[in-house]
Amino acid sequence: MAKRKQEKAPETNLTTPLTDAGSAASPKRGRPRKADLAAEMGSPVTEAPVPEGIPTVEKPKRIRTKAIPVETTDLTPAPKVRAAKKAAGTTTIASSQTIVPQEKRAVYYDISRFTEFDVYLFKEGRHFTLYDKMGAHCMEHAGLKGTYFAVWAPNAEHVTVIGDFNHWNRDSHSLKVREDGSGIWEGFIPDLTGGELYKYHIKSNYNLYHVEKSDPFAFAREKPPQTASRICDLKYEWKDNEWMERRKTIAGQAQPMSVYEVHLGSWRRRPEDNNRPLTYHELAEELPQYVKEMGFTHVEFMPVMHHPFMGSWGYQVTGYFAAASVYGSPQELMHLIDVLHQHGIGVILDWVPSHFPSDEHGLAYFDGTHLYEHADPRKGYHPDWKSYIFNYGRNEVRSFLISNALFWLDKYHVDGLRVDAVASMLYLDYSRKEGEWIPNEHGGRENLEAISLIKDFNQAVHEKYPDVQTIAEESTAWPAVTGKVNDGGLGFDMKWMMGWMHDTLDYFSKDPIYRKHHQGEITFSIIYAFSERFMLPLSHDEVVHGKGSLIRKMPGDEWQQFANLRSLYSYMYAHPGTKLLFMGGELAQSTEWNHDSSLDWHLLQYNYHSGVQRMLQQLNKLYQQEPALYELSFDSSGFEWIDFQDAHNSVISFLRKGKDPKENIFIVCNFTPIVHEHYRLGVPHGGEWIQIFNSDDEQYGGSNVQNQGSLQATQEPSHGRDYSLTLKLPPLAVVYFKLKG
């Protein structure tokens, strides 16, 4: 995947202003001295020496201020701000019974959601529920309803809450910094009970720098291109108890996993309403039923965290705790997940801890220093994606990231997290030339701080939610990605099998007449198939930016293209590992994916396209019905070659094996358009075998070359086995057989 994320990021660099919308500045709201969003970008270059050829990261110029590059990690309270004095031992939320206000004030400082232990864990990088402490929380204090605010800005001189409730006044609602050196600013503002827009105005201790920032822990954001946070709660009455209990019951058991990858903004659109995307509520009415009918066990959503630029597909996140507002409210996203669960469908979210964009209202240069990002651009700037890299060695940042992962599992009942771009986190020299990266303390290229974070993330998830899956998008040969942390592994439950995807697509793109010279490409994956717990992906990355759709990768005339695509899917479901297919693949989408338009649902009126859809329905059904296809999917004992050496005919055959030998599935793949009328293959047992699936079936658009009735295995040795079958191999097809029960 080395360079693919460049496709997701807006075309920009850190010396060119980038707006939150990726193109044009947001309209102003009339608030006093609102920062011009056309200047939203990143942090200044540090004093660290930068090798020649590495882009310098400069801070934007601001009106009437002059910024000078500063690097600091000082977490002590700002010297120009006096910390609010607290009553002895007051570290918990005050109630109306304990505090009676003498007069109504703009901001109350005699309240905190933080205990001393909370602060200790935060500083240690071990606080994993920060979302219950930081941000804006509606509550009651001293008999008054209002909102408690807390934000981490250790290098700020002054922090105020600005919003529509105070006409964006920078002076009226100041927060106070805690006395414990945590760098947390807090305060309670009465009469804010939800729905109000707000930001933090931060004046730095350094160089007169000041900025308006969205709340890193906000639960909701304005619709882009506006950038303010919104006060809201996450109250929702879940109706998925049956699903959640079942999830606990089957945790750790072998189970089929067939994932439908979805970009919410382009699955379906409303052409009659200016071609807008569906809302979360509308998706809840259509998506769960469709996924259930197709037979997928899970959906995987490309990032639903708030992202201002739709062309980033969600991989440039500015609101890590906020659901993307373009589709609706947090509760409406919860409703979508709830309905999916009620239909028996699990939900996986893409999670992006690898980098974040340079938008000024976001995390970058948060308090006038490199707070969330690493200060040295050789570790803190991503050359491919023109974005910032988290400082994984900073404890407070570790608390932020792991809290964010657990937040989606806790508040949104998510069943799994697919971690994006893991390879870019593991290697210090990822996509960098010699001299453009800093070796670790041992002189190596491994990012020890990121590795430690990943392990802590996986341990925290599995300790709190043992019935949740974590999946790594990792494209290298890094060892033990799915190994247990205690055994030296990274701790993921599964890893995308990127090598299988690339080799298989490359093989299928070749004209069948040449495939005999490339037999090793289609068989090589089995050599390492059980070195990790693999998921086989045919993801969105393979159908964008000039790569074409899957059907257009297939060679030959129209009939051969569809036959090849059916063979590809049938081979994927037969291969060891769980499965993932990007939306539109089931339609044999003709054009490559475009995030600004709907899938081409009209193609289903044509038999070839609807045939592919029907075949995938059957494959999903078969996959879940036949234990041999999933019981030992991560164990070498679940696979056995019959013959992989018939390169001349481009035929491979193998067994998928379950715990019961009688349930074994015999799979034969013919990757040429030649029909073989009498093809003999060895089998492990005598008796009657029946064909249970054929990708060449006429209902799928095939030529309907079939093995009719029962096939008797004769005691004629072949391929090292005592019994053999004489089969009819259909053209460009995959056929499954099973012993007659």
Side-chain angles (χ1 to χ4, degrees), residues 59 68 116 123-124 153 188 271 289 321 378 464 528 587 717 728:
K59 181 182 71 62
I68 301 173
E116 291 181 6
K123 291 180 176 180
E124 289 293 307
F188 174 84
Q289 186 61 38
F321 292 84
R378 291 172 294 179
K464 183 72 173 176
Y528 63 95
L587 311 179
K728 183 181 291 187

Side-chain angles (χ1 to χ4, degrees), residues 413-430:
H413 288 202
V414 167
D415 306 292
L417 295 171
R418 176 267 198 183
V419 183
D420 183 67
V422 172
S424 74
M425 299 173 66
L426 294 176
Y427 297 98
L428 293 165
D429 62 345
Y430 181 87

Side-chain angles (χ1 to χ4, degrees), residues 337-352:
I337 295 171
D338 198 355
V339 176
L340 283 162
H341 283 172
Q342 292 172 46
H343 281 74
I345 300 160
V347 179
I348 301 166
L349 296 187
D350 274 9
W351 184 54
V352 190

Side-chain angles (χ1 to χ4, degrees), residues 608-680:
Y608 282 156
H609 294 273
S610 61
V612 170
Q613 186 188 52
R614 282 190 295 272
M615 190 197 71
L616 273 165
Q617 283 180 306
Q618 181 60 26
L619 280 172
N620 277 323
K621 181 179 179 180
L622 200 65
Y623 177 46
Q624 295 174 58
Q625 287 178 343
E626 298 295 340
L629 295 176
Y630 67 84
E631 267 189 339
L632 300 173
S633 199
F634 306 127
D635 191 319
S636 60
S637 65
F639 180 91
E640 181 182 329
W641 279 116
I642 298 295
D643 182 26
F644 59 87
Q645 295 181 322
D646 189 4
H648 178 74
N649 291 307
S650 297
V651 173
I652 60 173
S653 53
F654 53 90
L655 289 175
R656 287 300 310 279
K657 301 159 69 175
K659 295 177 181 178
D660 183 353
K662 295 179 182 179
E663 299 294 331
N664 290 352
I665 306 293
F666 177 35
I667 291 128
V668 186
C669 308
N670 176 17
F671 294 131
T672 72
I674 306 300
V675 177
H676 297 275
E677 295 286 347
H678 304 283
Y679 195 93
R680 181 169 293 277

Side-chain angles (χ1 to χ4, degrees), residues 274-376:
N274 201 29
N275 198 38
R276 67 168 176 81
L278 300 185
T279 64
Y280 293 129
H281 188 76
E282 290 169 333
L283 284 160
E285 294 176 345
E286 300 185 30
L287 182 63
Q289 186 61 38
Y290 176 77
V291 174
K292 184 176 182 178
E293 289 175 356
M294 286 298 301
F296 290 100
T297 65
H298 292 70
V299 293
E300 179 182 316
F301 292 155
M302 292 168 69
V304 297
M305 299 79 183
H306 188 83
H307 52 281
F309 179 53
M310 294 303 291
S312 77
W313 312 335
Y315 294 96
Q316 297 276 4
V317 179
T318 55
Y320 273 80
F321 292 84
S325 58
V326 69
Y327 309 122
S329 69
Q331 283 77 10
E332 288 171 326
L333 175 57
M334 293 176 187
H335 174 67
L336 170 58
I337 295 171
D338 198 355
V339 176
L340 283 162
H341 283 172
Q342 292 172 46
H343 281 74
I345 300 160
V347 179
I348 301 166
L349 296 187
D350 274 9
W351 184 54
V352 190
S354 50
H355 65 123
F356 60 91
S358 59
D359 300 61
E360 187 185 64
H361 68 276
L363 297 178
Y365 204 68
F366 191 78
D367 63 356
T369 67
H370 300 286
L371 195 63
Y372 287 90
E373 67 271 24
H374 201 284
D376 194 311

Side-chain angles (χ1 to χ4, degrees), residues 223 263-286 310 325-328 332 594-599 601:
K223 287 184 180 181
H263 177 258
L264 294 181
S266 57
W267 182 66
R268 276 184 177 157
R269 291 202 164 210
R270 290 284 186 262
E272 70 279 7
D273 190 6
N274 201 29
N275 198 38
R276 67 168 176 81
L278 300 185
T279 64
Y280 293 129
H281 188 76
E282 290 169 333
L283 284 160
E285 294 176 345
E286 300 185 30
M310 294 303 291
S325 58
V326 69
Y327 309 122
E332 288 171 326
N594 179 1
H595 68 272
D596 285 327
S597 63
S598 171
L599 297 181
W601 295 98

Side-chain angles (χ1 to χ4, degrees), residues 489-520:
L490 295 183
F492 287 99
D493 294 290
M494 278 171 281
K495 169 183 172 175
W496 274 19
M497 199 174 189
M498 310 291 281
W500 171 87
M501 179 175 68
H502 294 143
D503 288 347
T504 302
L505 289 176
D506 186 57
Y507 178 85
F508 271 91
S509 69
K510 291 178 170 61
D511 189 295
I513 197 171
Y514 301 117
R515 287 176 180 171
K516 60 185 177 182
H517 304 298
H518 300 274
Q519 186 87 339

